[in-house]
Amino acid sequence: MINIQSFENQYTDQVVDLILTIQQKEFQVPITINEQQDLLDIPNFYQQKHGDFWVALHENQVVGSIALIDCGENVGAIRKMFVKKEFRGKEFGIAQKLLDLLTSEAQKAGMNNLYLGTLERLQAAIRFYIRNGFEAIEKQNIPSVFPFMPVDTHFFEKNIHPIS
């Protein structure tokens, strides 16, 4: 049973552990917690305006995460989408549920476009985003309000239709 809910401070250590383990150990991304101070202050960084940070829980353990940043100008940025290796795939459908929830909340908030950045080595993630209607976009074509991460090499955009 997977439960998805908005982040609460009690999950900080589990979120940091999930994300750093996937970044550093699984994919050898050269990034540390010092370069991701946002993870130590999720409410003030992500849970502002129409943004939020969601966790997927299995037996009260964080097994997935996704964040929406409200960039203003009807633009949303997707960040910190991670699913623990043992919980990936269609059996659990966690990534899809997280992305669907984020998209729905962005639409309710009146956002027109979602943007994200990722790394070339995360090919499964890139395929997932493309399957979900995201299109590759050149970095210079991303709105200036988008918060870039230094390690990102590939960028994607999806037009969504706000729900009034």
Side-chain angles (χ1 to χ4, degrees):
M1 177 78 183
I2 302 296
N3 177 40
I4 296 175
Q5 68 175 59
S6 285
F7 171 85
E8 297 171 7
N9 280 326
Q10 70 192 31
Y11 298 116
T12 299
D13 290 344
Q14 289 187 53
V15 166
V16 169
D17 183 59
L18 170 79
I19 292 173
L20 288 180
T21 298
I22 293 170
Q23 289 173 327
Q24 296 172 350
K25 294 183 177 146
E26 189 175 347
F27 291 101
Q28 293 76 48
V29 177
I31 192 167
T32 67
I33 189 63
N34 293 330
E35 296 160 288
Q36 303 178 88
Q37 291 292 308
D38 53 307
L39 292 176
L40 301 177
D41 194 11
I42 288 171
N44 286 318
F45 194 87
Y46 293 103
Q47 295 173 315
Q48 299 297 316
K49 299 184 272 184
H50 296 290
D52 208 340
F53 191 108
W54 295 275
V55 291
L57 301 169
H58 174 73
E59 297 177 355
N60 212 33
Q61 296 299 305
V62 174
V63 297
S65 67
I66 194 168
L68 172 65
I69 298 175
D70 182 346
C71 300
E73 300 180 20
N74 299 322
V75 168
I78 298 175
R79 279 270 193 78
K80 305 302 182 197
M81 181 158 189
F82 292 95
V83 177
K84 193 172 187 176
K85 192 173 191 173
E86 301 82 0
F87 289 87
R88 291 183 197 148
K90 289 185 167 55
E91 180 187 348
F92 293 100
I94 294 171
Q96 193 65 58
K97 290 173 186 166
L98 287 167
L99 183 61
D100 289 348
L101 174 62
L102 180 143
T103 303
S104 173
E105 293 300 316
Q107 289 172 312
K108 289 178 196 170
M111 295 179 193
N112 295 312
N113 297 82
L114 292 174
Y115 294 89
L116 66 94
T118 190
L119 290 88
E120 182 174 17
R121 69 181 74 167
L122 302 180
Q123 286 297 309
I126 289 172
R127 288 191 301 273
F128 173 78
Y129 292 126
I130 291 170
R131 266 197 322 273
N132 278 280
F134 284 82
E135 296 180 8
I137 183 173
E138 294 296 321
K139 184 177 182 179
Q140 64 266 21
N141 294 331
I142 292 187
S144 60
V145 295
F146 179 83
F148 289 95
M149 287 288 292
V151 295
D152 288 341
T153 57
H154 287 56
F155 301 91
F156 293 86
E157 168 188 36
K158 182 176 182 178
N159 297 318
I160 59 173
H161 303 286
I163 300 170
S164 36

